[in-house]
Amino acid sequence: MLDSIVIAIPATLNNVLSFDQYSDISEADLACIFNNPEINTPIKSVKKRAPKIVGDDYYPEVSLYFWTQPVMILIKFSVSKLYFNNNLYEITNADRDAIINTLQTKLLYMDIKVSRQEILDAAVWKLEIAKNILLSNISCNAILSALNKMKFYTKLQTQTTEFRDEYKTRKKYQAGQMFSLWSKKHQLCCYNKLSEIKKDKHGVNLIKQANLTNKQVLRIEYRIFTKSDIAQVLTQYGFDNNVTFGYIFDMELCQKLLFAVWCKIVDKRKNQLKLINCDTEPLTDAFFSKQKQARTMLCTLGAIYLVDKGYSLDEIFAPFPNNSTVLQQIINTIDDCISLKKLNKRRHNGGNSKTPSKSNVLIRAFNNIYKKLAVYKPIRPTTPPL
């Protein structure tokens, strides 16, 4: 789904109804700079102070950006939070008119007046698309741990961070984990969504209302940081490089883009899970029965040992050249040994034996994520949003 976004609208006096309540600048000075674009000012942008609101109502962030001509109104908001007041629930194309109306109303309260067409034509300067995935028979931490151990593009930096449940007492807080792959252009990140939204009482109540108290929800987000990068990524994956809000507000487009990114970066490396959570019994048997070359078996068992000790595949295979095929050879060896073990079991037990593999749990979980990303089935509230 479409989530957080920054849109830019050319600013005129018809749009900006007041220069009051902007941070670190007086109303008179801001009006002077706005009305005299030839003034050489070091001010890059000024942010509208958040309105005084009652309860948990959500408002966009508004700034005036001066380093372009004309001056731009930058509007940053989470589309789902604007509509549902949370981003656990997910929007559909049918919500578009209601979302635009809500945005117009809340901007007007902040003395910014924009038309429906101006919003649709607004350039997208930053884009985040996401999907919440309900997991079965596996925890978010197991998925995040596996991702943290996998080997990805060398151009993507890996990072793990922790966020704490601020609402719970210090004696009973639950730390949330996030894994991300990022470059200057974009970022793919995954985290435990329920740990993130439990940071306040409203989030705890939302989880109860959605019947997710004892569930695991994995959040997958793809973030693109600039307008030019958004156009480049859209083109790369076969879409028009139209970076307007009206074009990007298309949940099928967002779903297809997130699915394509997941397939290119993560799913194509799914065979690494065989090494990350490997059953060593078939390999040990193959080693001592001399069914495979001893050096290959020792290399494979050594890699499994290092993974179990907490090292990532990037760390383990860093000493090898970038074009090395050692990792794939090890994965092939694991496949061969498991297949050989199954074959021997079948022969011994009349052909009906199956050898379970610890990696199967992870592989099934990643296959489940793949299926849920392939088709957009939004998580919706049982009743319409207020």
Side-chain angles (χ1 to χ4, degrees):
M1 69 170 181
L2 180 62
D3 189 28
S4 293
I5 195 168
V6 177
I7 61 175
I9 297 174
T12 69
L13 287 174
N14 292 328
N15 301 118
V16 183
L17 305 181
S18 169
F19 293 105
D20 191 22
Q21 298 298 309
Y22 283 85
S23 299
D24 302 321
I25 192 169
S26 69
E27 184 176 357
D29 287 345
L30 181 55
C32 180
I33 296 172
F34 185 88
N35 292 311
N36 298 278
E38 70 278 2
I39 293 178
N40 186 12
T41 174
I43 298 174
K44 184 176 183 178
S45 66
V46 290
K47 185 177 179 180
K48 183 81 172 181
R49 285 195 283 271
K52 294 181 180 180
I53 55 177
V54 178
D56 298 315
D57 204 7
Y58 176 84
Y59 273 79
E61 295 180 12
V62 175
S63 301
L64 294 179
Y65 187 82
F66 292 103
W67 281 17
T68 59
Q69 290 301 326
V71 175
M72 305 298 286
I73 304 171
L74 298 187
I75 306 167
K76 178 182 179 181
F77 63 103
S78 166
V79 179
S80 51
K81 284 184 180 179
L82 187 76
Y83 193 44
F84 293 118
N85 216 35
N86 68 77
N87 61 358
L88 174 63
Y89 297 136
E90 299 168 339
I91 60 174
T92 67
N93 288 347
D95 301 324
R96 188 173 78 167
D97 288 343
I99 288 169
I100 291 175
N101 291 339
T102 302
L103 181 60
Q104 285 179 292
T105 300
K106 293 194 172 185
L107 289 174
L108 192 59
Y109 184 76
M110 301 172 73
D111 293 324
I112 298 293
K113 182 180 180 181
V114 292
S115 69
R116 180 178 185 277
Q117 196 59 49
E118 284 177 311
I119 293 173
L120 291 172
D121 293 339
V124 179
W125 281 21
K126 184 177 180 180
L127 175 65
E128 295 182 11
I129 54 178
K131 185 73 183 81
N132 297 317
I133 295 178
L134 185 63
L135 299 177
S136 300
N137 302 319
I138 196 168
S139 69
C140 285
N141 283 348
I143 299 292
L144 298 175
S145 176
L147 287 169
N148 192 40
K149 292 177 181 178
M150 292 171 74
K151 184 174 179 60
F152 296 101
Y153 294 122
T154 55
K155 292 181 180 179
L156 291 175
Q157 302 294 315
T158 60
Q159 183 178 20
T160 54
T161 55
E162 180 180 283
F163 51 89
R164 295 181 178 230
D165 185 336
E166 298 167 2
Y167 172 65
K168 290 194 172 186
T169 63
R170 292 182 180 178
K171 294 181 180 179
K172 200 179 177 182
Y173 83 87
Q174 182 177 358
Q177 304 290 330
M178 183 173 77
F179 171 81
S180 64
L181 294 158
W182 60 275
S183 69
K184 292 181 179 179
K185 180 173 75 173
H186 58 173
Q187 178 185 30
L188 179 67
C189 64
C190 303
Y191 58 91
N192 186 330
K193 183 59 186 172
L194 299 190
S195 292
E196 189 263 342
I197 64 177
K198 281 194 298 186
K199 292 192 294 184
D200 56 54
K201 188 173 182 179
H202 172 73
V204 174
N205 293 335
L206 173 64
I207 292 171
K208 291 179 181 177
Q209 293 167 8
N211 297 318
L212 294 172
T213 302
N214 297 314
K215 303 295 174 61
Q216 293 278 305
V217 177
L218 180 73
R219 172 81 164 190
I220 300 175
E221 291 183 1
Y222 180 56
R223 305 166 179 173
I224 316 174
F225 302 132
T226 68
K227 177 183 174 182
S228 60
D229 287 334
I230 295 169
Q232 181 183 344
V233 169
L234 289 174
T235 302
Q236 178 183 347
Y237 287 100
F239 301 99
D240 293 340
N241 61 352
N242 184 340
V243 290
T244 63
F245 181 76
Y247 177 72
I248 288 176
F249 196 107
D250 182 337
M251 296 313 105
E252 185 177 355
L253 182 153
C254 293
Q255 173 265 320
K256 287 182 177 179
L257 178 57
L258 182 58
F259 178 64
V261 170
W262 178 265
C263 289
K264 181 177 180 180
I265 296 178
V266 178
D267 195 71
K268 69 184 297 184
R269 293 164 175 78
K270 193 167 52 183
N271 61 356
Q272 295 179 15
L273 299 174
K274 298 170 185 175
L275 173 57
I276 288 171
N277 198 16
C278 184
D279 182 1
T280 59
E281 182 183 344
L283 283 76
T284 306
D285 290 346
F287 175 72
F288 285 109
S289 62
K290 299 180 181 179
Q291 294 170 331
K292 300 285 290 184
Q293 187 177 12
R295 181 177 297 177
T296 301
M297 297 307 307
L298 281 177
C299 183
T300 304
L301 290 167
I304 293 170
Y305 169 80
L306 292 173
V307 170
D308 288 343
K309 294 289 287 184
Y311 292 94
S312 71
L313 299 187
D314 264 335
E315 293 174 304
I316 294 170
F317 293 101
F320 294 91
N322 290 334
N323 60 351
S324 172
T325 60
V326 172
L327 175 57
Q328 188 57 52
Q329 290 171 8
I330 286 175
I331 292 169
N332 293 341
T333 299
I334 293 171
D335 284 339
D336 292 344
C337 292
I338 291 174
S339 298
L340 188 61
K341 179 82 172 181
K342 288 180 179 179
L343 179 62
N344 291 336
K345 283 267 186 177
R346 288 195 201 102
R347 289 172 176 170
H348 181 73
N349 296 328
N352 294 316
S353 177
K354 292 184 178 181
T355 303
S357 172
K358 292 190 296 181
S359 64
N360 283 348
V361 177
L362 274 176
I363 292 173
R364 284 197 300 268
F366 275 74
N367 285 339
N368 180 51
I369 293 171
Y370 175 91
K371 291 176 182 177
K372 290 185 177 181
L373 289 176
V375 179
Y376 186 58
K377 294 183 179 179
I379 298 173
R380 303 283 285 185
T382 54
T383 56
L386 299 177

